[in-house]
Amino acid sequence: MIRRLAVIPALAAILAGPVFAQGVSLPDATRVVLDNGAIIVVNEKDDVPLVGIEVLVRGGAVRDQEGKSGTASLFAGLLERGAGERDAAAFAEAVESVGGSLSARAELEGIRIRGDFLARDLGLALGLVRDMLVEPALKEAELDTLRERQINLIRAAKDSDPGRLLPIYAAAFLYGEHPYANPVEGSEASLADISHRDVTAFYANEVGADRLIIAVSGDVSAPAVVEQLSVLFGDFRPAAAAIEPLPPARAETTRRVLLVDKPGATQTYFWIGNVGVPVGAPGRAELDIANTVFGGRFTSMLNTALRVESGLTYGARSIVTKGMATGSIGMTSFTQSEATREAVELALSVLYRLRTDGIGEEMLRSARNYILGLFPTRLETASQLAAQFAMLEFYGLGRDYVDGYGKAVRAVTVESLLPVIDRVYPPGDELVFVFIGDAAEIRNVVSRYGSLSELAITDGMFRPPPAADAAD
């Protein structure tokens, strides 16, 4: 049953000595690949009697069929609503009765299951995870309830919290026909069109041992956990559909604008950005420092200009997302409708200043200390370690992605930042703009920024149809 067994070499213990002097590295872990392709990583961490479980299944919303976005999300939601011999209530009771937590959700490129349990309940926890993946109930009645709930949540956000939907509109408009445009949770129109057969087909086609990564960290015996998981998942079938790498998305080379009309809105929410870089792209440490300075913390350039100095908003930030194929980089904020132009122009001027002036030594030093101070806190608990091991497997990254990060951050210089800023942060004439606001109030302002497409917030999709999309 076991095809390959390897022990990942030991390095310095986490938090062994001062971070700035010693660095941070992953602890030992045992890695096993079963004959059916399932990958198992187990880390023994016996300081507290807890265990964290992280399960990733390759293929998430990017695998949704055309017009059926939200299928992966509905499937993931159903995993918590009955599996094996337990219905939804019994499944929840099994988790809660031991004080554990177990959740599933879809993401853009995968399905994630995360669990936290006392070490003594590991057998139960792994059995529940097995049932979720091998024998999910996928009841149609539960699907109907979950689908209606997701539709209502989208409608509620459109009514009272449109800013929550801004990243969804932005991704849909930025990526166009690329699968990264798929809204993970679906849209009102797509969710309404997803049938029970669509969800069961997604399970058959997109979930299987050859897509599976299971990471466990905590007060456990690695050989015992490997044996348990080998028994539980050794006979799990492969996914029926082949999964191929996605091509990179095409970066925009001109200006495009999407205006989402919300009549009566007194505020404008905006996102400005372009296609970025994938996970594993060179210059990771430089990009992290640049984004921290530009818009990644309260004292950033963006927040200082738009909130602290001008009072145009309660917050402005820049967000870097990374996937296997590519990513995005964008700055986002909100302001009163009448201040839309002032806020956007100020944001663009900050972007211009970053690209023109770069980052000085004092800013670099501050951002470096900020990052190095936070980094160790992401590798403390069993759950965090399980997530790290699973992430490395998912993206095909080596241990140096974690172990060498501190050294890479410390090695960043003012000079090494410049090519990364130039490559990743788009120039002013290569930007995608997305606005949510009262079109009657802001149309004349936002139309000056590029070729304009419009969408009513009441529309069931998150981007205009292809024929109306200026990029198509």
Side-chain angles (χ1 to χ4, degrees), residues 27 56 113 130 182 185 193 277 293 296 298 300 357 400 455:
L56 293 175
I113 299 173
R130 179 265 176 199
N182 291 352
E185 295 177 354
D193 200 36
V277 296
V293 172
F298 184 82
S300 69
D357 300 340
D400 194 59
L455 193 66

Side-chain angles (χ1 to χ4, degrees), residues 397-460:
L397 301 169
R399 286 179 60 101
D400 194 59
Y401 191 81
V402 175
D403 296 344
Y405 183 66
K407 180 180 179 181
V409 170
R410 290 190 293 274
V412 173
T413 65
V414 169
E415 291 73 25
S416 70
L417 283 166
L418 295 176
V420 174
I421 291 172
D422 184 66
R423 184 176 77 248
V424 179
Y425 289 85
D429 58 349
E430 298 179 3
L431 290 170
V432 173
F433 297 75
V434 177
F435 298 91
I436 302 177
D438 189 334
E441 294 290 327
I442 65 173
R443 181 181 290 110
N444 290 339
V445 170
V446 304
S447 62
R448 70 177 62 240
Y449 293 112
S451 176
L452 180 65
S453 298
E454 293 195 35
L455 193 66
I457 201 165
T458 53
D459 287 348

Side-chain angles (χ1 to χ4, degrees), residues 54 82 129 133 203 337 384:
E54 188 85 2
V129 171
L133 292 170
Y203 173 58
S337 298
Q384 289 172 325

Side-chain angles (χ1 to χ4, degrees), residues 59-120:
V62 295
R63 302 291 295 176
D64 287 345
Q65 297 299 303
E66 184 176 356
K68 306 278 189 176
S69 61
T71 304
S73 179
L74 290 174
F75 165 74
L78 288 175
L79 294 181
E80 300 178 38
R81 302 192 175 206
E85 297 180 353
R86 298 178 176 90
D87 61 14
F91 191 89
E93 172 61 22
V95 176
E96 294 171 2
S97 65
V98 295
S101 65
L102 188 60
S103 62
R105 73 171 189 266
E107 297 177 348
L108 191 59
E109 295 179 297
I111 305 293
R112 183 185 301 273
I113 299 173
R114 177 168 290 171
D116 290 283
F117 289 84
L118 289 171
R120 70 187 185 195

Side-chain angles (χ1 to χ4, degrees), residues 243-389:
I243 186 168
E244 300 293 336
L246 292 173
R250 176 177 58 86
E252 186 55 68
T253 57
T254 59
R255 283 189 170 191
R256 285 194 298 137
V257 179
L258 174 64
L259 172 56
V260 181
D261 182 23
K262 181 173 170 55
T266 59
Q267 292 182 321
T268 299
Y269 297 85
F270 63 87
W271 181 95
I272 306 170
N274 208 329
V275 170
V277 296
V279 172
R284 172 194 175 204
E286 282 81 2
L287 179 54
D288 286 351
I289 285 180
N291 199 61
T292 297
V293 172
F294 180 57
R297 60 178 177 174
F298 184 82
T299 57
S300 69
M301 295 168 64
L302 273 176
N303 200 61
T304 297
L306 272 72
R307 173 178 173 164
V308 179
E309 295 178 349
S310 68
L312 290 170
T313 182
Y314 284 111
R317 56 181 178 151
S318 59
I319 302 173
V320 174
T321 65
K322 295 180 182 179
M324 289 186 182
T326 190
S328 67
I329 186 161
M331 45 187 177
T332 182
S333 188
F334 62 95
T335 191
Q336 294 296 309
S337 298
E338 60 270 20
T340 299
R341 181 177 180 182
E342 184 181 1
V344 171
E345 291 294 333
L346 187 54
L348 293 176
S349 72
V350 176
L351 175 61
Y352 177 80
R353 178 154 48 96
L354 174 72
R355 287 181 51 83
T356 303
D357 300 340
I359 292 172
E361 189 63 47
E362 183 177 348
M363 289 185 186
L364 167 59
R365 187 182 308 111
S366 174
R368 179 190 292 127
N369 292 343
Y370 179 82
I371 290 171
L372 290 175
L374 287 177
F375 183 59
T377 66
R378 300 170 184 169
L379 296 168
E380 291 180 332
T381 69
S383 293
Q384 289 172 325
L385 287 170
Q388 284 292 323
F389 283 116

Side-chain angles (χ1 to χ4, degrees), residues 1-3 33-36 227 229-235:
M1 180 179 298
I2 296 176
R3 186 168 68 216
V33 182
L34 303 185
D35 287 340
N36 57 14
E227 181 61 29
L229 289 173
S230 299
V231 172
L232 291 171
F233 289 97
D235 295 328

